[in-house]
Amino acid sequence: MNHMEPLTPGNGRVKDARKLSRRSVRSERRLFLADGPKAVQGALGVDGCVVEVFATPAALEQYHHLLAGAGTVTLVDDRALATLSDSVTPAGVVAVCRHLDLPLDQVVRPTSRLLVICADVRDPGNAGTVIRTADAVGADGVVLAGSSVDVYNPKTVRASVGSLFHLPVALCPEPGAAVAAARQHGITVLAADAAGEVDLFDADLSGPSAWLFGNEAWGLPPELAESADARVAIPIHGRAESLNLSTAAAVCLYASAREQRASADPRHG
Amino acid sequence: MNHMEPLTPGNGRVKDARKLSRRSVRSERRLFLADGPKAVQGALGVDGCVVEVFATPAALEQYHHLLAGAGTVTLVDDRALATLSDSVTPAGVVAVCRHLDLPLDQVVRPTSRLLVICADVRDPGNAGTVIRTADAVGADGVVLAGSSVDVYNPKTVRASVGSLFHLPVALCPEPGAAVAAARQHGITVLAADAAGEVDLFDADLSGPSAWLFGNEAWGLPPELAESADARVAIPIHGRAESLNLSTAAAVCLYASAREQRASADPRHG
């Protein structure tokens, strides 16, 4: 640990790290910011992920067990920390991390049982929540495809609550390539589609599956939905027109996990 | 429709409506703001709900079919509309609405099949998303209990995507009173609890049920969880510690709806 004076917002290293709030800078440097103790803990759990940790003196004291694993911690004052944090009430600790995304073929694999492909998901909170849910349900990985939000957006990192550091994630400009890769491995691609021909609770979900989710406002492009093995609708019984994307994903993923486990262990189901 | 000059931000009626961004003013006047065409459409569908509609000239043209049902529309300029909207990109139409919440005994009823009780849910987006999901799943109503966020918070209204206007909602300062009311009617109260003794997919969900959800960070107070008929855990198969509240609610509610419909119609399930 260093014992120098906390750095101020004008310090060159702080200013340099702050530039990672811009997607273009994140992409160019292949770095991003993990904000708060949960994210920093997740990042420290991945070998070689953390480049630098910034903490306020108060946070260093509060999280000293966690930060003991960080090696060097750079002390910053509250104002400098706030410039690195996207949070309204910064927790006092931010890590500069290396990008974690893997090539598509390391996420969509012959042995994958349950995958998520997000096509053009734009809300950073939704993307992070889908990653968190995919982790909770025991999925093998998530592909953020097409014009989806940057997975290293601070809101996405925060909404994933550490799961970005647990779960294999691939980025794929062309959603069709992710669908094709899954189908090539015999993984059934299920397009979540409010106008789908199959009811979620009538669908056969027991085999290896990749769920395909579209944009929050306009759903999946028709040709992409058609490229899936089936288009599956969550039944809407009331007067709501639709579900929020991340809640829809949770309902689909848990339906799949339940079926897969029931077929693996006939006592459940 | 009026054909006067659009009102500016300094106009008295605009300033008066703007005060509804404060919870204390909303509570005192029993009014709130519905922002955007979907919310305004929902509000116009409820007899006597809408007090006044503000729209920009462009929105009046774009949404004239919708606003034809509004009777009088007060034209405001873009800047005035923006002061009434919580949205980063206001859609140009905002309605002043009367509060919609019902007494507890009109939401928790002897005939209720599926209810939601939120205790101390603090995030406005989560509360609105839970209302939207409860509507989608065909639930009979939602109780926002304890220190839960104001259901008339603009972010809650927006996240409900119109469902606040479809679904009976009660406010109940004491969560225990809502639990007691449900149990008195023979409705099984299921506490969503990560440490619960029953796995969601092993639970008997076929009868009339009220789901009880707690705070995003600290869950349910132990004595409240104990007052439920069962404490039910969503299985976590991966490394995520928990689920987002609104996604957890969606998984629980759809599990219940599925079981209830399967027991009503043995062809499904």
Side-chain angles (χ1 to χ4, degrees), chain A residues 38 132 135-137 166 201-202 234-244 246-247 254 258-259 261 268, chain B residues 38 132 135-137 166 201-202 234-244 247 254 258-259 261 268:
Chain A
K38 195 145 289 195
R132 179 183 182 184
D135 184 13
V137 83
H166 303 159
F201 299 121
D202 294 329
I234 298 176
I236 303 282
H237 302 299
R239 290 177 59 195
E241 285 172 30
S242 64
L243 289 165
N244 167 285
S246 59
T247 58
Y254 267 96
R258 179 186 190 170
E259 288 286 310
R261 278 158 209 270
H268 286 72
Chain B
K38 194 145 287 193
R132 178 182 183 185
D135 184 12
V137 83
H166 304 157
F201 299 119
D202 294 330
I234 298 176
I236 303 281
H237 302 298
R239 290 177 59 194
E241 285 173 30
S242 63
L243 288 165
N244 168 284
T247 58
Y254 267 95
R258 178 186 191 169
E259 287 287 310
R261 279 159 207 268
H268 286 72

Side-chain angles (χ1 to χ4, degrees), chain A residues 164-259:
Chain A
L164 175 60
F165 301 101
H166 303 159
L167 199 69
V169 171
L171 310 180
C172 179
E174 179 46 65
V179 169
R183 297 195 66 190
Q184 201 182 330
H185 294 314
I187 298 166
T188 302
V189 177
L190 303 166
D193 181 345
E197 71 271 11
V198 187
D199 180 295
L200 175 65
F201 299 121
D202 294 329
D204 178 6
L205 305 173
S206 56
S209 306
W211 276 99
L212 176 60
F213 301 108
N215 176 268
E216 290 86 348
W218 60 78
L220 288 164
E223 65 280 16
L224 189 63
E226 283 305 315
S227 76
D229 293 283
R231 285 137 299 281
V232 181
I234 298 176
I236 303 282
H237 302 299
R239 290 177 59 195
E241 285 172 30
S242 64
L243 289 165
N244 167 285
L245 176 82
S246 59
T247 58
V251 172
C252 293
L253 288 169
Y254 267 96
S256 277
R258 179 186 190 170
E259 288 286 310

Side-chain angles (χ1 to χ4, degrees), chain A:
Chain A
M1 308 268 171
N2 293 336
H3 291 281
M4 56 190 186
E5 277 297 295
L7 303 181
T8 58
N11 174 275
R13 279 161 71 194
V14 174
K15 285 164 80 172
D16 202 49
R18 190 182 311 151
K19 289 183 184 155
L20 294 172
S21 63
R22 297 213 305 271
R23 183 175 187 164
S24 59
V25 177
R26 291 196 295 268
S27 298
E28 189 191 311
R29 299 190 193 166
R30 290 194 59 78
L31 295 174
F32 70 106
L33 296 173
D35 182 10
K38 195 145 289 195
V40 172
Q41 185 176 26
L44 290 170
V46 180
D47 269 351
C49 175
V50 174
V51 176
E52 179 160 28
V53 176
F54 293 98
T56 61
L60 181 60
E61 195 177 324
Q62 186 177 355
Y63 303 116
H64 66 278
H65 285 297
L66 189 161
L67 295 175
T72 305
V73 172
T74 302
L75 283 181
V76 290
D77 68 19
D78 287 352
R79 284 170 49 238
L81 194 286
T83 69
L84 299 177
S85 172
D86 180 59
S87 178
V88 180
T89 52
V93 52
V94 170
V96 176
C97 300
R98 292 193 178 84
H99 280 195
L100 296 158
D101 55 281
L102 299 169
L104 184 65
D105 64 3
Q106 288 183 36
V107 174
V108 179
R109 296 159 61 99
T111 54
S112 302
R113 293 278 305 161
L114 187 54
L115 293 168
V116 178
I117 303 169
C118 292
D120 307 328
V121 169
R122 292 286 178 83
D123 180 79
N126 274 338
T129 303
V130 168
I131 292 170
R132 179 183 182 184
T133 306
D135 184 13
V137 83
D140 299 293
V142 173
V143 181
L144 284 187
S147 63
S148 289
V149 64
D150 181 23
V151 71
Y152 303 110
N153 179 302
K155 290 186 172 65
T156 305
V157 177
R158 184 164 64 241
S160 89
V161 193
S163 290
L164 175 60
F165 301 101
H166 303 159
L167 199 69
V169 171
L171 310 180
C172 179
E174 179 46 65
V179 169
R183 297 195 66 190
Q184 201 182 330
H185 294 314
I187 298 166
T188 302
V189 177
L190 303 166
D193 181 345
E197 71 271 11
V198 187
D199 180 295
L200 175 65
F201 299 121
D202 294 329
D204 178 6
L205 305 173
S206 56
S209 306
W211 276 99
L212 176 60
F213 301 108
N215 176 268
E216 290 86 348
W218 60 78
L220 288 164
E223 65 280 16
L224 189 63
E226 283 305 315
S227 76
D229 293 283
R231 285 137 299 281
V232 181
I234 298 176
I236 303 282
H237 302 299
R239 290 177 59 195
E241 285 172 30
S242 64
L243 289 165
N244 167 285
L245 176 82
S246 59
T247 58
V251 172
C252 293
L253 288 169
Y254 267 96
S256 277
R258 179 186 190 170
E259 288 286 310
Q260 290 190 351
R261 278 158 209 270
S263 67
D265 174 1
R267 286 173 306 163
H268 286 72

Side-chain angles (χ1 to χ4, degrees), chain B residues 73-85:
Chain B
V73 173
T74 302
L75 283 181
V76 291
D77 68 18
D78 287 351
R79 283 171 47 239
L81 193 288
T83 69
L84 299 177
S85 172

